[in-house]
Amino acid sequence: MAEGENESPRPRASPYDEAVDALSSLITKRSRADKSNKGDRFDILYDYIKMLDLEEPISKMKVIHVAGTKGKVNMDSAKMRQVLLKEWPECGTVLEEKTSDDIPMPGYFRFLVLLAFKIFAAEQVDVVILEVGLGGKFDPTNVVQTPIVCGISSLGYDHMEILGNTLGEIAGEKAGIFKQGVPAFTVPQPDEAMCVLEEKASQLDVKLQVAPLLDATLLNGLHLALDGEHQYLNAGLAIALCSTWLQRTGHNEINYLDQTNSLPEQFLKGLTTATLQGRAQIVPDRLIGAESPGDLLYYLDGAHSPESMEVCGKWFSHAITGESRQQNASNQRQENSTQILLFNCMSVRDPQLLLPRLINTCANHGVHFQKALFVPNISVYYKVLSSALPPTDSQVDLSWQLTLQNVWENLIGIEKGRDARDGDLVYEENDKSKESGVRSCENSMVFPSLPIAIKWLRDSAQQNKSVCFQVLVTGSLHLVGDVLRLVKK
């Protein structure tokens, strides 16, 4: 019998998996600030658009163009998979045939933007809500020359390695989406940012207006689906953008800018049912049974800037204290709770800016973390939708997580009234921690992988069945996504 004759053939990858692998091949950078890829030049975008015959379709799209520090546009994943499989082959093949050394294949995000335009054109969509990926002026979405209306949400110190070190510089990049004579809206901004936005708008004859905070009484007793005080700012901006879009596309009778009229049913439904995974999201651990007296809840928020850390801290504090009041009022159960932080952030971010905002905001609301857990992400940034397990413990570089731990221990020392000083941490070692590779200090732990940290949380919840474990997961949207995949399996 010939060798391998009885071996089962490998299952063929699905068309969707093949598309994902091809997308992954376009990820060539290891940091956003890397300028080595010629395909990242903004001017080349117009060459790609010509190659794909997208000039006329894009010019006809009725676009709401949005920039800002936070907020993403959701798409239905099942529908997007179908359209992706329909448009991917043509888009990818055309670009592969027409690109060259001078005009190479676009990078990952730029290809996604081009593919999105191709899909929007094929589906003949009525409205395109287009959010920049990064910045504004040189973002690939900024090839849209005639949007219906533009919006800039709250600005903060984010992506500073690309956008600049001051709010003024960041605002200047975001204002790059303004177009001659096209109305624009923003929310209340710090003076430094607002001055730049107003100057850029004036130069282009743009009517820049500040959208009012949503008046909660207009919700007719309902509540915004997205939790947090800042969402009333976002809701006010959304109403202004949608109202202006409707007016400028022929619905002259529509006017909700001053919020004196009651909102239509469609607006109310959108505001009260919108969902955004990984932002102010509460998820119970499915491996902790509902009938168990113990409890393990994850509070997920992908905050990763100083401003969003403060917002995240407020939301978490209000969420857990609100739950406690509800539990006590209904007499469903009387139990202790403990708050734990599960954290990671990119190394381009400054934990000395992020962690104090979180600690101080929570402390001001009477919330103090018993432990902080620092972990590397599972997700890899060179593979789309990767859920590969992390490397073995001996291969894991935990130097960044140990840096985060050092910052945390010093900050907690200050909070507890002790003198903080940089230096070697005192680790609490035992046989079990040595075996698992965990680095444990008085107020924090570093785990070599997220699954090991999740196991520690589950074991702790099972061993302390009278305690409700409330775990805030923040610092990185990648980390939040990893946790969601693990706890929802």
Side-chain angles (χ1 to χ4, degrees):
M1 182 178 293
E3 183 178 350
E5 188 172 323
N6 286 335
E7 292 181 5
S8 300
R10 292 184 179 182
R12 182 188 174 109
S14 69
Y16 179 74
D17 289 334
E18 290 177 352
V20 166
D21 286 340
L23 272 176
S24 297
S25 70
L26 299 176
I27 303 177
T28 59
K29 300 195 300 183
R30 293 296 173 263
S31 72
R32 285 190 296 257
D34 182 357
K35 302 293 185 183
S36 60
N37 189 346
K38 292 181 181 179
D40 285 338
R41 282 170 33 205
F42 184 78
D43 58 302
I44 290 181
L45 280 166
Y46 296 99
D47 293 298
Y48 297 139
I49 288 171
K50 289 179 181 178
M51 293 176 188
L52 295 170
D53 295 323
L54 282 171
E55 292 171 289
E56 183 179 2
I58 290 177
S59 69
K60 292 181 177 180
M61 290 180 187
K62 298 176 180 179
V63 176
I64 298 176
H65 202 185
V66 185
T69 303
K70 296 289 172 286
K72 299 298 174 189
V73 180
N74 287 332
M75 297 182 182
D76 180 79
S77 59
K79 172 67 174 175
M80 285 304 297
R81 282 192 180 209
Q82 295 173 8
V83 180
L84 170 65
L85 292 176
K86 178 181 176 183
E87 299 299 328
W88 164 268
E90 178 186 349
C91 194
T93 300
V94 168
L95 288 175
E96 287 176 351
E97 290 177 350
K98 295 186 177 182
T99 50
S100 63
D101 290 339
D102 293 330
I103 305 177
M105 280 291 287
Y108 168 67
F109 182 70
R110 292 188 168 211
F111 183 87
L112 282 184
V113 171
L114 294 165
L115 181 59
F117 283 134
K118 197 73 175 174
I119 291 171
F120 297 153
E123 295 294 305
Q124 298 181 328
V125 296
D126 296 318
V127 56
V128 174
I129 302 176
L130 193 64
E131 184 175 9
V132 304
L134 190 65
K137 184 177 181 181
F138 297 114
D139 187 82
T141 63
N142 208 29
V143 295
V144 173
Q145 296 299 304
T146 56
I148 302 297
V149 62
C150 297
I152 295 182
S153 62
S154 299
L155 298 180
Y157 291 96
D158 199 9
H159 307 303
M160 295 166 65
E161 74 278 14
I162 300 291
L163 305 181
N165 295 315
T166 69
L167 275 182
E169 291 175 340
I170 293 170
E173 290 294 321
K174 303 290 185 179
I177 69 170
F178 290 163
K179 301 296 185 298
Q180 184 81 33
V182 174
F185 291 87
T186 188
V187 298
Q189 306 279 6
D191 290 343
E192 181 182 358
M194 187 62 79
C195 287
V196 173
L197 294 180
E198 290 174 343
E199 180 184 356
K200 298 291 186 181
S202 177
Q203 293 171 358
L204 292 170
D205 191 28
V206 168
K207 184 181 180 183
L208 178 63
Q209 301 178 66
V210 177
L213 183 80
L214 172 64
D215 183 350
T217 61
L218 295 178
L219 295 176
N220 297 338
L222 301 174
H223 299 280
L224 292 178
L226 299 177
D227 202 0
E229 297 175 5
H230 62 293
Q231 295 298 350
Y232 286 88
L233 275 177
N234 294 335
L237 179 60
I239 290 171
L241 293 173
C242 291
S243 180
T244 302
W245 186 92
L246 287 168
Q247 288 178 3
R248 300 196 75 211
T249 54
H251 303 273
N252 296 322
E253 74 283 0
I254 302 294
N255 184 10
Y256 304 108
L257 296 181
D258 55 7
Q259 296 192 23
T260 57
N261 299 322
S262 59
L263 296 176
E265 181 181 348
Q266 295 91 333
F267 278 40
L268 288 173
K269 185 175 181 180
L271 293 170
T272 58
T273 61
T275 60
L276 191 59
Q277 287 204 62
R279 291 289 187 189
Q281 182 181 8
I282 304 174
V283 177
D285 194 310
R286 292 188 174 183
L287 291 190
I288 304 296
E291 298 179 1
S292 169
D295 210 355
L296 176 56
L297 293 173
Y298 298 92
Y299 296 75
L300 304 162
D301 194 281
H304 49 267
S305 69
E307 296 80 10
S308 60
M309 275 290 154
E310 187 171 333
V311 171
C312 172
K314 288 180 181 178
W315 164 71
F316 178 63
S317 301
H318 291 157
I320 63 175
T321 54
E323 285 178 1
S324 297
R325 285 195 297 270
Q326 292 174 5
Q327 292 168 1
N328 292 337
S330 62
N331 292 320
Q332 290 180 354
R333 59 184 180 183
Q334 299 284 336
E335 61 184 7
N336 298 320
S337 65
T338 186
Q339 289 76 48
I340 294 176
L341 175 66
L342 182 58
F343 187 91
N344 192 35
C345 67
M346 295 175 63
S347 59
V348 295
R349 308 197 187 280
D350 187 351
Q352 297 280 8
L353 296 177
L354 300 182
L355 292 175
R357 285 287 190 101
L358 180 64
I359 291 174
N360 294 335
T361 301
C362 290
N364 289 338
H365 290 82
V367 174
H368 304 272
F369 294 98
Q370 184 185 62
K371 284 280 187 183
L373 315 182
F374 299 102
V375 296
N377 294 340
I378 295 177
S379 299
V380 290
Y381 47 78
Y382 52 85
K383 175 68 175 177
V384 180
L385 299 178
S386 172
S387 58
L389 291 176
T392 60
D393 296 353
S394 61
Q395 297 175 308
V396 176
D397 180 5
L398 296 175
S399 57
W400 177 243
Q401 283 69 39
L402 292 171
T403 297
L404 297 175
Q405 182 181 45
N406 189 61
V407 172
W408 181 265
E409 291 290 336
N410 286 331
L411 291 170
I412 295 300
I414 294 174
E415 186 188 33
K416 292 182 177 180
R418 297 196 300 265
D419 290 334
R421 61 181 179 86
D422 291 329
D424 295 333
L425 299 181
V426 178
Y427 290 103
E428 302 169 353
E429 291 192 353
N430 54 49
D431 292 340
K432 189 173 183 180
S433 66
K434 286 181 180 179
E435 181 181 344
S436 60
V438 176
R439 304 287 188 90
S440 181
C441 290
E442 180 182 357
N443 307 292
S444 61
M445 304 171 74
V446 169
F447 290 85
S449 74
L450 178 60
I452 295 175
I454 297 294
K455 183 180 185 304
W456 182 87
L457 287 167
R458 288 169 171 167
D459 291 344
S460 299
Q462 295 286 16
Q463 293 165 11
N464 300 274
K465 294 186 176 181
S466 64
V467 178
C468 176
F469 285 79
Q470 298 167 325
V471 184
L472 174 61
V473 183
T474 190
S476 164
L477 283 167
H478 294 287
L479 175 63
V480 166
D482 293 340
V483 171
L484 275 173
R485 282 195 291 270
L486 283 175
V487 303
K488 283 194 167 186
K489 282 184 178 179

